[in-house]
Amino acid sequence: MALRRFSMDQLMAHGDLRGVGRQERRERTKGVPLAARGENLYILGKPGAGKTTFLKYLTIQAAQDQLPRIPIFVSLNDWANSPHGQPGNEALLPYIAEQFEICDFPQALSFLEFLLNETERAMVLFDGLDEVKQEDEQRRTLTRLLQDFARQYDQCQCLITCRIASSDYTFAGFRDVEVADFTNEQVTQYAEKWFGQQKRKFELFQEALQHKEHKPLAELCNSPLLLSMLCLYFDDAMEFPHRRAELYEEAIDALLRKWDSTRQIQRDKIYQDLSPRRKQQMFAAIAAQTFGENQQFFKEGALEKMMVDYLARLPNAPAKEDIDGLAVLKAVEAQHSIFVERAKGIYSFSHLTFQEFFTARYIVENEARGTVEKLVQIRLNDRRWREVFLLTASLLDDANDLVRWMQAQINTFVIQDKELVNLLMWANDKTGKAKSKDKVHISATRVAYIFLARALAPDGTLDPASALDPARDPARDLARPRAFATGRALDPVHALDPARSLAPALALSRARSITRTYGLTVGSDYELLYGWQMVSIFARVKDFGLVKKYTTQFQDYFTMVKKHLDTTLPRVADGLAQLPVPHGKAKQAEWKVFATELQALLTRERDFDFERKLNGEQVDQLNGYFEANELLVQCLKLAVVSDREEVLTGLLKPPDGVTQQRI
């Protein structure tokens, strides 16, 4: 893809960086059938993409007569470190013959010359051109030797692998191919084979990757190296860590150091003082700048300049004009694959996850400069920054300030709107009287009452006839408040709409469950408002036959509610007893009267405000308020804080200074 010419707009058409590559409609073909054609192949790929594994697999396939050739595997890194790879003594065929002789192969050189010259059965697999240093022109010399080898022994098939960013060369007579990222199907196949007979563990691994919270981890799976790291972690822990930063740190460490060190590969050192720590600081500075400017793709010149700006600030650094920024960029890309060239002259981080992680690293490491506070003040309502917030919370040694700033910023969502403040005050007052069983459920009780208040003024576009259809959306009620208590996402607009369901038995069961879980009166208030919604629908429906169909259901429901309220809200139960339920032949006018009287009772005894209305802008504000609170809950799961319970019990409270008076 790096050799193709795209504009940034074309790249962004994929949606975001997580879509690039997976959605690229390039021609894909299976590797073994491609190699079986007999062409010379120049195989490019990112670090850990499986280039060496592919050549070794071809070697085994050929040895088992699955390919019609005799395989000869050559490690170019081993060649470079042998006497045959030293300046002035470079030679390929003598090195290959020497490897045969080590294995006690008789007359190795004569056999090789015959095999390469006189038959068409040889397949020589040269692995790791990028692993040969450029110092002393060693790689350039090797490139010439490989080209000469392919020309001299044109009866045999040659395959050469190289990291894509290290490929400044072209080989005449070779077809350039690139190792593709894993597709979702290949990820599944790889993981299934990795876990082998542990079928249940493989299933749990698949389920964990499907969770919304692990979407950033799933993004890493298109790399065999990083996928194997995830499998290894899951095999040991049987779950992914809530603190995903641990895995990102391991992944980056694998790319920066472990991958080469385990294979005893020494790379060219463009700058001796650019330690892994310094590299990560440079990546963090670039990530923070680009992510803050909403740039997922950046031109080569801009990225080069950012690297030079960082390097020039290091101790004993040369002048900016003496720093070869392009050489550093190419070395970083080739050796670590933190950055990749997505199109000709256009770069990005190899994974959006890495850009988010390094942005969070920059914010945490520069906390003394106010980066954490600025993050909250500027980005709290920006969904694109959600993962950065979570990573920041998990990386901070002490997240008390982060939480305090988030609480203060959350209040700004509502404090200037008197209707929203009144709503929060009402929910807080009701919560105080709800007799919640423990502190854990206080915030859940608040959100339950906020949703109940929203249900008092359902969407005016609701079709009463459709609402009477019990098959539609059965009982979407206080599952959302329960979700809030466990930290899952909220959608306040759709969280509570009991008017869409007439399933009385289910409603009663759920109400009693809510009562047991959150407090004595929350479930009772839900029962009452559920009943009021039913009555308000009857009062709006002109189809007499449709209303008659559900009257018996409602009468049974009302009888059960009154019986339940005898123990929880006896005064309300007495008031309900004074309201005769309309019979099956009642007309619309009678239902309107009943709805009015029931509404008056609930206003008087339960302090429900049926006149409260929120416009579209206020609903959006409330949505933002809930999303920010939910993000705070998620951050608390990862953060080191002094009093987690105090923060949780304070969720959704009215802003300080307005709790004693209505605005």
Side-chain angles (χ1 to χ4, degrees):
M1 188 170 180
L3 301 179
R4 304 179 73 184
R5 296 185 181 274
F6 291 100
S7 68
M8 290 192 186
D9 290 341
Q10 287 174 314
L11 289 172
M12 286 304 297
H14 291 280
D16 61 26
L17 193 52
R18 291 192 171 104
V20 173
R22 289 291 183 92
Q23 299 178 30
E24 175 66 15
R25 295 294 186 261
R26 288 181 290 170
E27 178 186 357
R28 298 174 69 103
T29 186
K30 293 184 177 180
V32 175
L34 179 64
R37 298 176 187 174
E39 296 178 271
N40 289 345
L41 300 178
Y42 186 34
I43 304 169
L44 304 173
K46 297 188 285 290
K51 300 181 295 297
T52 299
T53 301
F54 176 59
L55 290 195
K56 289 183 176 180
Y57 181 72
L58 290 178
T59 303
I60 294 172
Q61 291 293 297
Q64 295 176 346
D65 292 329
Q66 300 301 308
L67 288 171
R69 291 184 179 273
I70 299 173
I72 303 172
F73 183 91
V74 181
S75 167
L76 295 178
N77 178 54
D78 290 346
W79 170 86
N81 293 314
S82 75
H84 298 286
Q86 301 311 303
N89 193 39
E90 299 97 334
L92 276 175
L93 190 60
Y95 169 76
I96 298 172
E98 184 178 275
Q99 302 309 302
F100 274 64
E101 291 168 353
I102 290 173
C103 298
D104 294 328
F105 197 98
Q107 299 180 347
L109 185 59
S110 297
F111 171 77
L112 283 172
E113 288 178 339
F114 169 77
L115 180 65
L116 297 173
N117 279 313
E118 304 299 332
T119 75
E120 296 182 357
R121 296 195 60 197
M123 178 172 65
V124 187
L125 306 106
F126 294 106
D127 183 50
L129 176 59
D130 58 281
E131 297 172 9
V132 177
K133 294 181 180 179
Q134 297 190 51
E135 296 172 5
D136 299 321
E137 298 289 314
Q138 190 178 33
R139 189 185 299 176
R140 186 181 297 277
T141 300
L142 174 59
T143 302
R144 176 180 54 78
L145 290 174
L146 289 170
Q147 185 73 78
D148 291 345
F149 185 96
R151 287 172 178 163
Q152 181 176 355
Y153 305 110
D154 58 358
Q155 298 297 308
C156 77
Q157 180 184 12
C158 294
L159 282 70
I160 304 171
T161 65
C162 183
R163 288 188 178 182
I164 189 167
S166 296
S167 177
D168 294 329
Y169 317 100
T170 58
F171 290 93
F174 280 71
R175 178 178 178 182
D176 292 355
V177 294
E178 181 180 346
V179 179
D181 289 340
F182 273 176
T183 63
N184 291 332
E185 293 75 19
Q186 289 172 323
V187 169
T188 299
Q189 293 170 8
Y190 183 100
E192 186 173 17
K193 291 179 180 179
W194 199 97
F195 287 106
Q197 298 301 314
Q198 303 178 89
K199 300 296 185 184
R200 182 54 184 159
K201 190 172 287 188
F202 163 69
E203 292 171 356
L204 293 173
F205 177 82
Q206 287 292 96
E207 291 172 9
L209 279 182
Q210 297 302 317
H211 290 171
K212 182 179 179 181
E213 63 182 294
H214 294 319
K215 183 179 179 181
L217 289 182
E219 174 202 344
L220 302 181
C221 291
N222 60 11
S223 163
L225 169 64
L226 300 182
L227 175 57
S228 65
M229 185 199 72
L230 293 177
C231 289
L232 185 64
Y233 188 99
F234 196 89
D235 185 43
D236 183 53
M238 287 290 289
E239 63 178 357
F240 294 124
H242 292 298
R243 187 178 177 273
R244 288 189 292 276
E246 296 174 17
L247 281 177
Y248 301 154
E249 287 166 345
E250 286 190 27
I252 290 163
D253 190 49
L255 291 173
L256 292 186
R257 291 188 296 187
K258 290 182 179 178
W259 185 236
D260 281 347
S261 64
T262 56
R263 300 165 67 203
Q264 299 181 344
I265 298 171
Q266 289 186 326
R267 302 281 179 181
D268 292 296
K269 295 183 179 180
I270 303 300
Y271 285 95
Q272 296 287 341
D273 294 332
L274 203 59
S275 65
R277 172 65 177 168
R278 291 296 193 192
K279 289 176 184 177
Q280 292 195 53
Q281 286 181 338
M282 180 172 69
F283 302 156
I286 294 170
Q289 179 176 336
T290 55
F291 199 78
E293 296 172 355
N294 197 19
Q295 294 180 355
Q296 294 180 22
F297 303 97
F298 15 89
K299 293 183 178 180
E300 180 180 85
L303 181 55
E304 178 186 343
K305 182 179 183 302
M306 286 185 276
M307 289 184 170
V308 170
D309 288 344
Y310 173 82
L311 293 171
R313 298 198 301 270
L314 293 178
N316 303 316
K320 278 188 178 183
E321 57 270 19
D322 295 329
I323 299 175
D324 189 346
L326 183 59
V328 177
L329 168 57
K330 291 299 182 181
V332 168
E333 181 188 5
Q335 296 177 21
H336 312 308
S337 196
I338 297 296
F339 298 101
V340 295
E341 192 173 11
R342 297 291 181 180
K344 188 66 175 177
I346 299 178
Y347 281 79
S348 74
F349 279 86
S350 56
H351 300 279
L352 179 57
T353 292
F354 287 167
Q355 190 179 17
E356 292 167 334
F357 172 76
F358 280 119
T359 298
R361 278 276 299 266
Y362 180 87
I363 291 169
V364 171
E365 292 178 355
N366 291 274
E367 183 182 8
R369 297 167 56 191
T371 51
V372 177
E373 186 174 9
K374 290 177 183 176
L375 170 70
V376 175
Q377 291 176 345
I378 300 173
R379 307 296 185 181
L380 184 59
N381 62 343
D382 189 338
R383 294 180 182 178
R384 194 174 64 88
W385 286 73
R386 176 183 176 84
E387 186 67 13
V388 176
F389 269 91
L390 297 175
L391 290 167
T392 299
S394 69
L395 289 170
L396 284 167
D397 293 332
D398 181 342
N400 284 309
D401 285 342
L402 170 68
V403 171
R404 178 169 54 83
W405 288 322
M406 287 183 73
Q407 289 174 309
Q409 190 67 20
I410 285 171
N411 284 336
T412 65
F413 283 67
V414 296
I415 197 167
Q416 299 299 323
D417 191 299
K418 66 178 183 180
E419 294 297 334
L420 294 181
V421 171
N422 279 339
L423 174 59
L424 296 182
M425 290 178 57
W426 176 83
N428 194 52
D429 290 343
K430 295 288 287 184
T431 299
K433 300 172 184 176
K435 302 178 183 178
S436 293
K437 294 188 175 184
D438 54 56
K439 291 183 178 180
V440 174
H441 296 116
I442 290 177
S443 60
T445 303
R446 288 193 192 100
V447 75
Y449 274 113
I450 292 172
F451 288 145
L452 286 173
R454 289 288 297 121
L456 295 177
D459 187 347
T461 63
L462 178 65
D463 176 11
S466 298
L468 284 171
D469 180 0
R472 285 177 63 90
D473 303 329
R476 277 190 296 177
D477 48 25
L478 289 176
R480 291 297 187 174
R482 199 176 297 115
F484 186 92
T486 59
R488 294 205 303 273
L490 290 171
D491 182 358
V493 176
H494 300 103
L496 182 62
D497 190 1
R500 283 190 171 277
S501 172
L502 286 179
L506 182 59
L508 279 172
S509 173
R510 204 164 259 135
R512 287 167 185 160
S513 174
I514 294 165
T515 297
R516 288 193 298 270
T517 304
Y518 298 120
L520 293 176
T521 58
V522 182
S524 298
D525 282 332
Y526 168 74
E527 291 175 335
L528 289 166
L529 286 178
Y530 188 94
W532 175 81
Q533 288 276 20
M534 295 166 71
V535 173
S536 67
I537 292 172
F538 293 158
R540 294 162 59 191
V541 175
K542 297 179 181 180
D543 186 338
F544 173 77
L546 194 59
V547 174
K548 183 179 179 180
K549 177 181 177 181
Y550 291 100
T551 300
T552 302
Q553 264 191 322
F554 175 72
Q555 289 174 327
D556 292 342
Y557 176 80
F558 218 60
T559 299
M560 290 186 287
V561 169
K562 285 190 288 186
K563 183 178 180 181
H564 184 212
L565 293 178
D566 283 338
T567 57
T568 58
L569 297 172
R571 285 184 53 176
V572 178
D574 290 342
L576 288 177
Q578 305 303 315
L579 299 179
V581 180
H583 51 74
K585 296 183 180 181
K587 296 181 180 180
Q588 186 182 33
E590 294 177 67
W591 283 107
K592 287 183 178 179
V593 171
F594 184 79
T596 300
E597 292 176 346
L598 178 59
Q599 181 172 312
L601 173 65
L602 297 181
T603 301
R604 181 175 67 252
E605 296 294 337
R606 299 304 301 149
D607 191 28
F608 285 120
D609 184 358
F610 291 86
E611 301 302 320
R612 179 182 285 117
K613 305 291 182 183
L614 298 181
N615 58 38
E617 183 179 346
Q618 289 171 319
V619 170
D620 288 342
Q621 287 178 261
L622 195 59
N623 276 341
Y625 178 74
F626 271 98
E627 288 173 1
N629 272 283
E630 190 269 336
L631 179 57
L632 176 56
V633 171
Q634 296 296 341
C635 287
L636 283 170
K637 289 183 175 182
L638 303 167
V640 177
V641 294
S642 300
D643 196 336
R644 198 178 315 275
E645 184 178 279
E646 181 182 357
V647 178
L648 288 172
T649 56
L651 293 170
L652 306 173
K653 285 184 66 175
D656 291 339
V658 298
T659 55
Q660 301 301 318
Q661 59 181 354
R662 300 257 176 141
I663 296 178

